[in-house]
Amino acid sequence: MAKVLNRKTILVTGGAGFIGSNFIRHELESYDDVVIVNLDKLTYAGNLENLKDIEKKYGLASLNLKPKTQDLRPDLRYFFVKGDICDRNLADSLLSGKYFKDKEVGQGTHDARLMTPDSIVNFAAESHVDRSILDAVPFIDTNIKGTQVLLEAARIHWQNLGSGTRDLIPNVFLHISTDEVYGSLGKTGEFTETSPLLPNSPYSASKAAADLLCRSYYKAYNLPIILTRSSNNYGPYQFPEKLIPLMIKNALERKELPVYGEGLNVRDWLYVEDNCRAIDLVLRKGNIGEIYNIGGENEIENIKVVKLICKILGEKAAGDSRLDELIKFINDPRGKAHDFRYALDCSKIKKDLGWKPVSKFEEGLKITIDWYLSNRNWVKKVVTGEYQEYYKKIYT
Ligand code: NAD
Ligand code: DAU
């Protein structure tokens, strides 16, 4: 039993989204002693399709938790909970173990204490800049209020823990932030972890607010907080409202490829698996109270990204060398909120934790394009009526 109790139980919020689902897969496939509780509201961006393989391999395969069957499945290490991070009762119930006790999962092989998270990795967020400009309200609710609910629940629960075996596993509240909180750069320079926060969109402002709440909970209550701020991720399971998957989808459908302004804005692309490795390292070895920048070292102008996608797709699948004729420069829907360039100084995570990105952009992009080509049904499934409405608002 002692061995079992030494398992690491992570409450991952927003685990049905792009980075969260990749992170859950990374953790469960890399470690035998990790248990994941995935709390996700399943907004338009969250999709259980992203974790179908994981549910089958490590989960109960349904939301109907069946008390007796878990004894047959000692490998049961993944639990999905549909819910909102703004729901304080639910957060309390998950952090105290009550949630699973009530569902009688805490019987037999799977002691309820196993499902009591010792760490939280907070991915849950409204994450798309364009949507935040259309309507900031859900960004304030989830990104700011939701983060505060989790911080408060963690504070109350972790402060009230008595001494026991579980306390041997240190608590960590890892909040996933973004390089966008630093605002925009000109042609040169890099942000360090101590650069001022100068967000320009409701999305980045809500993320910056959450970062400051995290800081205050560390200072005021000594809550064991760590923050990561990463650059633009790309890879499998990214919702096709973001630049790379949107361009792949549209090119395959021979639709216009809408490039904002002249396409000269620069992003630093980070392959999602490189980010998952970094987050894992920060969770296990990061210093409490610290912030870690995570960049891809792949700075490139948007127009070059889009042309590269056209070239790779033309070679691989479309049998069409003129896909770039679909490119259409459109009025920038972000206006002054469109950050020109992001670039991160990542010397801290490299020096302190020995991490560095390993994926070269063109290689990562080819893998990503292959994934979208093999998973056209996934794209069809996640693109709902809501997506069509949103698309019309931004692009027509
Ligand atoms: P995503 O939009 O793909 O996924 C967000 C997930 O959060 C979805 O599964 C959604 O259902 C869930 N969610 C939303 N509101 C919720 C709520 N109130 N309660 C519970 N779940 C809720 O986002 P992503 O691209 O995977 O980003 C994950 C995190 O990483 C975000 O915090 C984002 O700010 C940050 N980030 C993203 C990038 C990037 O390039 N994608 C870069 C840096 C930081
Ligand atoms: O930098 C980290 C951030 O990266 C994360 O915090 C955000 O959650 C994530 O969405 C991403 O934000 P961006 O706004 O940089 O990503 P997006 O893919 O939406 O846009 C990338 C660039 O491409 C940006 O300069 C706008 C441009 N663009 C985007 C779309 C969707 C276009 O030119 N056309 C498009 O249709």
Side-chain angles (χ1 to χ4, degrees), residues 13-21 39-47 50 83-86 122-128 138 141-143 146 175-180 203 207 228-234 237-239 241-242 269 275:
T13 69
F18 164 47
I19 309 176
S21 61
L39 169 62
D40 198 295
K41 186 178 170 184
L42 298 182
T43 67
Y44 77 92
N47 207 303
N50 298 7
D84 192 329
I85 60 166
C86 299
N122 184 28
F123 290 96
E126 287 294 333
S127 69
H128 193 38
D141 287 344
T142 289
N143 301 3
H175 179 71
I176 306 298
S177 184
T178 168
D179 61 358
E180 297 204 10
Y203 162 69
K207 293 295 288 185
T228 63
R229 291 182 179 145
S230 86
S231 61
N232 285 61
N233 284 222
Y234 69 103
Y237 300 102
Q238 187 167 30
F239 191 77
E241 65 184 351
K242 307 281 166 67
W269 293 96
N275 192 18

Side-chain angles (χ1 to χ4, degrees), residues 370-387:
D370 280 340
W371 187 87
Y372 279 91
L373 286 172
S374 316
N375 289 279
R376 292 194 196 201
N377 271 340
W378 178 90
V379 176
K380 266 194 208 137
K381 278 185 187 153
V382 301
V383 177
T384 59
E386 189 276 345
Y387 175 85

Side-chain angles (χ1 to χ4, degrees), residues 318-334:
D320 187 342
S321 56
R322 294 161 307 146
L323 286 177
D324 55 7
E325 287 175 9
L326 295 169
I327 292 174
K328 185 174 178 209
F329 295 96
I330 64 167
N331 278 340
D332 193 338
R334 298 187 184 181

Side-chain angles (χ1 to χ4, degrees), residues 161-182:
L161 273 183
S163 58
T165 325
R166 293 295 289 167
D167 301 348
L168 296 175
I169 301 174
N171 299 129
V172 177
F173 190 114
L174 173 45
H175 179 71
I176 306 298
S177 184
T178 168
D179 61 358
E180 297 204 10
V181 297
Y182 298 122

Side-chain angles (χ1 to χ4, degrees), residues 184-237:
S184 183
L185 284 169
K187 288 203 163 152
T188 57
E190 287 181 333
F191 295 121
T192 69
E193 287 84 354
T194 54
S195 296
L197 302 190
L198 290 169
N200 292 314
S201 72
Y203 162 69
S204 49
S206 68
K207 293 295 288 185
D211 287 14
L212 295 179
L213 280 169
C214 288
R215 176 188 158 88
S216 75
Y217 269 71
Y218 170 64
K219 296 278 182 186
Y221 309 112
N222 218 12
L223 198 70
I225 309 267
I226 313 182
L227 259 71
T228 63
R229 291 182 179 145
S230 86
S231 61
N232 285 61
N233 284 222
Y234 69 103
Y237 300 102

Side-chain angles (χ1 to χ4, degrees), residues 127-130 178-180 203 230-233 241-244 246-247 258-260 265 267 269 302 334 338-339 342 395:
S127 69
H128 193 38
V129 173
D130 297 302
T178 168
D179 61 358
E180 297 204 10
Y203 162 69
S230 86
S231 61
N232 285 61
N233 284 222
E241 65 184 351
K242 307 281 166 67
L243 181 73
I244 290 180
L246 180 76
M247 295 299 153
V259 172
Y260 299 171
N265 301 62
R267 295 292 181 266
W269 293 96
N302 292 341
R334 298 187 184 181
H338 195 173
D339 294 329
Y342 306 127
Y395 297 104

